[in-house]
Amino acid sequence: MPNGSRQPGVHSLTAAKLPREFYLQDTLTAAQALLGKVLVRRTPAGECRARIVETEAYLGVTDKASHCYGGTRTARTQVLYGPPGHAYIYLIYGMYCCLNLVTQPEDVPQCVLLRALEPLSGQQWMSQNRPRARREEDLCSGPGKLCQALGLSRGDSGLDVCGDSLFVADDGFLPAPEQIAAGPRIHIAYAGEAAQYPWRFWVRGNPCLSVKEPCAAG
């Protein structure tokens, strides 16, 4: 991350866990506010931390790209209708999992997809989960990759991200406003005009992005 990604405190064990109230704010605001925060994963096999550098917002029943568009409600999407601050994990292409953080009050099915992370600690454990990654920057450079690196599966969907095994923390790092970019979401051509909504957010120039040289909107 340019302009000081390795600031003092990135490995701090005293970083403040985000409260559930964080996930009650406007979903587009939450998607941007998550940039620079630290995702922490704890398991008996180890702990790893990674900075969030790319997100996408999904706005529920009115968003054609959302799994809940039109009020669709299934066993898979039930977690989206539940309380905020929980993990919604689903499978794409029959093989890759994607991690989303549920936002908004119950019965308002919105979420933020985590698209890319910058590893901060626990890289050895991540590498064991992602043996094909040749560089540290590739460990979490995509939604499927980051779930593999963190050992997350569909069985973890519904996990409380205000708990202890998976949570987001604030270690005081904040990207400069000019570092934050916005543009269309990726791989959702099926969503028609909604595919062009500038609801993907990222930290400019970060080497861990899922798309290395994205085009910003505006």
Side-chain angles (χ1 to χ4, degrees):
M1 184 182 299
N3 302 325
S5 65
R6 306 295 184 179
Q7 293 290 334
V10 293
H11 300 297
S12 172
L13 299 180
T14 60
K17 184 185 301 182
L18 296 184
R20 199 169 307 280
E21 289 73 22
F22 175 91
Y23 303 98
L24 283 169
Q25 64 185 313
D26 173 81
T27 301
L28 290 171
T29 301
Q32 296 172 76
L34 282 165
L35 295 176
K37 301 296 190 292
V38 178
L39 185 68
V40 181
R41 172 67 164 154
R42 291 174 176 166
T43 75
E47 175 184 298
C48 56
R49 294 178 174 235
R51 197 173 300 286
I52 299 170
V53 297
E54 186 179 354
T55 63
E56 283 181 347
Y58 287 86
L59 270 58
V61 298
T62 62
D63 182 358
K64 290 184 179 180
S66 170
H67 292 170
C68 295
Y69 176 62
T72 299
R73 195 165 187 157
T74 66
R76 180 183 72 164
T77 63
Q78 184 59 36
V79 64
L80 287 170
Y81 288 90
H86 286 75
Y88 171 51
I89 302 176
Y90 59 87
L91 196 67
I92 57 171
Y93 309 131
M95 58 191 304
Y96 301 115
C97 287
C98 295
L99 170 62
N100 301 259
L101 306 180
V102 178
T103 55
Q104 298 295 294
E106 291 190 51
D107 294 320
V108 182
Q110 300 186 15
C111 65
V112 175
L113 169 67
L114 301 189
R115 284 201 58 90
L117 309 173
E118 177 186 3
L120 298 176
S121 66
Q123 290 93 328
Q124 182 176 357
W125 185 65
M126 293 185 201
S127 296
Q128 291 173 356
N129 292 333
R130 290 246 318 122
R132 293 187 178 182
R134 296 184 177 182
R135 306 180 307 155
E136 181 177 311
E137 291 83 358
D138 296 329
L139 286 171
C140 300
S141 59
K145 294 176 182 178
L146 69 87
C147 280
Q148 288 179 337
L150 301 180
L152 293 169
S153 68
R154 284 183 295 174
D156 296 305
S157 191
L159 195 65
D160 187 349
V161 297
C162 295
D164 292 325
S165 62
L166 180 70
F167 61 90
V168 180
D170 185 350
D171 69 351
F173 177 82
L174 184 65
E178 62 270 19
Q179 286 184 279
I180 298 177
R185 295 172 292 184
I186 297 175
H187 303 317
I188 55 168
Y190 61 85
E193 72 276 9
Q196 298 304 312
Y197 296 165
W199 292 351
R200 181 167 65 94
F201 306 96
W202 66 91
V203 178
R204 295 181 189 273
N206 189 280
C208 303
L209 298 178
S210 67
V211 176
K212 300 308 177 186
E213 295 182 358
C215 296

